Amino acid sequence: MRTPLIAGNWKMNTDSSSAAELAAAIVCRAGEVTDAELLVCPPTIYLTQVRDSIGDAAVSLGAQNMYHESGGAYTGETSVSMLNDIGAKYVILGHSERRHIMGESDEDVNKKTHAALQAGLRPIVCVGELLEQREAGQTTEVIRGQMEGSLADVTAEQISSVVIAYEPVWAIGTGKVATPEQAEEVHADLRKQLTERYNAEIADTVRILYGGSVKPDNAETLLGQPNIDGALIGGASLKADDFLAIAAAGAAVVQA
Ligand code: PEP
């Protein structure tokens, strides 16, 4: 069984004191969640502060983005070696806000994915369709295209370190959650794609997260789907109680 990954994407929220407080509130009760991996992804500027709040607690640290080049004249960017240096373990890549607001392409996501993997950082590669694409019956085609582009040339040895996040764009920050059936249909197809590209045994090791208005009251049914291996959480990750309640729902599924 794949250990669920419960990942909080704090986006461009918190300040130095609220980031430290939120991390401390999560750390304080992290020991209650034994069957799920907890991950927090604060804004880049607060990564070291949150790392210090985490200390040696069982909470992983991740970044929300990075640049693919290793260093040099790239004003405003953060390299993978910088993320490694401060102790990040994961990096979210190709979040829909980066794809649709900042104009990131599958090619950009692919370059970042390779840079992260080469440096030993685990990429969380996000894919997801727009509402009009779903309504036009293009969901599978859109997601297959994003997977092919974003994961081009990722080897069988590397793919187990990759986490995929399916985040329907229409469900992010909108309160409109995909039904467990809608989410599972896409997750099952993602697993099938991984099986086609690699093999069933390898596909089985890859964690596929669902993201899009995950809250404590819908977490258990979503996380109970056979191909949903955790959650990428925006809004609800800013409240320690909600984040931990979602993690408890993930752990309950493992224990069932
Ligand atoms: C996200 O930020 O990836 C996300 C899914 O946000 P929310 O949970 O707020 O919909």
Side-chain angles (χ1 to χ4, degrees):
M1 178 131 198
R2 296 171 290 269
T3 304
L5 176 62
I6 307 297
N9 173 13
W10 296 2
K11 309 196 188 190
M12 201 169 71
N13 293 302
T14 67
D15 58 20
S16 63
S17 58
S18 62
E21 274 164 31
L22 178 55
I26 292 168
V27 160
C28 168
R29 289 178 44 212
E32 293 168 22
V33 183
T34 49
D35 286 312
E37 181 181 353
L38 300 179
L39 166 67
V40 292
C41 302
T44 310
I45 195 164
Y46 303 133
L47 275 165
T48 49
Q49 198 174 347
V50 169
R51 174 201 62 194
D52 294 345
S53 299
I54 293 173
D56 54 12
V59 176
S60 303
L61 183 69
Q64 299 174 18
N65 183 36
M66 56 169 257
Y67 195 55
H68 67 272
E69 292 289 351
S70 56
Y74 303 100
T75 303
E77 295 295 341
T78 307
S79 73
V80 67
S81 57
M82 292 170 183
L83 296 181
N84 263 334
D85 185 32
I86 58 89
K89 187 171 168 196
Y90 290 87
V91 59
I92 300 171
L93 297 178
H95 188 280
S96 72
E97 286 147 19
R98 296 216 58 88
R99 288 179 184 268
H100 298 291
I101 303 172
M102 279 73 175
E104 276 187 17
S105 65
D106 288 328
E107 198 186 343
D108 296 325
V109 178
N110 185 243
K111 284 186 197 155
K112 294 179 183 197
T113 300
H114 282 287
L117 287 168
Q118 272 156 27
L121 208 66
R122 305 190 69 165
I124 301 177
V125 175
C126 303
V127 295
E129 81 288 2
L130 296 165
L131 183 58
E132 51 268 37
Q133 292 168 328
R134 174 163 280 268
E135 287 174 347
Q138 296 165 346
T139 302
T140 307
E141 179 193 330
V142 167
I143 287 166
R144 283 191 166 243
Q146 289 174 336
M147 283 280 283
E148 261 162 49
S150 305
L151 297 181
D153 300 322
V154 171
T155 66
E157 288 70 40
Q158 291 173 319
I159 194 69
S160 300
S161 301
V162 175
V163 176
I164 314 277
Y166 167 55
E167 299 207 300
V169 181
W170 47 271
I172 299 178
T174 59
K176 283 187 206 155
V177 62
T179 64
E181 295 75 24
Q182 282 174 324
E184 173 59 21
E185 188 182 8
V186 175
H187 281 238
D189 192 60
L190 286 165
R191 187 92 52 210
K192 188 167 163 224
Q193 288 172 55
L194 292 167
T195 304
E196 288 161 4
R197 275 176 82 124
Y198 305 101
N199 62 44
E201 201 184 330
I202 291 172
D204 206 44
T205 63
V206 179
R207 286 185 291 185
I208 308 176
L209 314 185
Y210 169 79
S213 299
V214 178
K215 308 280 179 223
D217 62 358
N218 59 29
E220 197 160 341
T221 40
L222 284 162
L223 294 169
Q225 300 304 306
N227 287 292
I228 301 187
D229 310 311
L232 182 53
I233 309 153
S237 73
L238 296 170
K239 290 186 191 143
D241 285 350
D242 286 359
F243 181 66
L244 290 162
I246 296 168
V253 167
V254 175
Q255 287 149 8

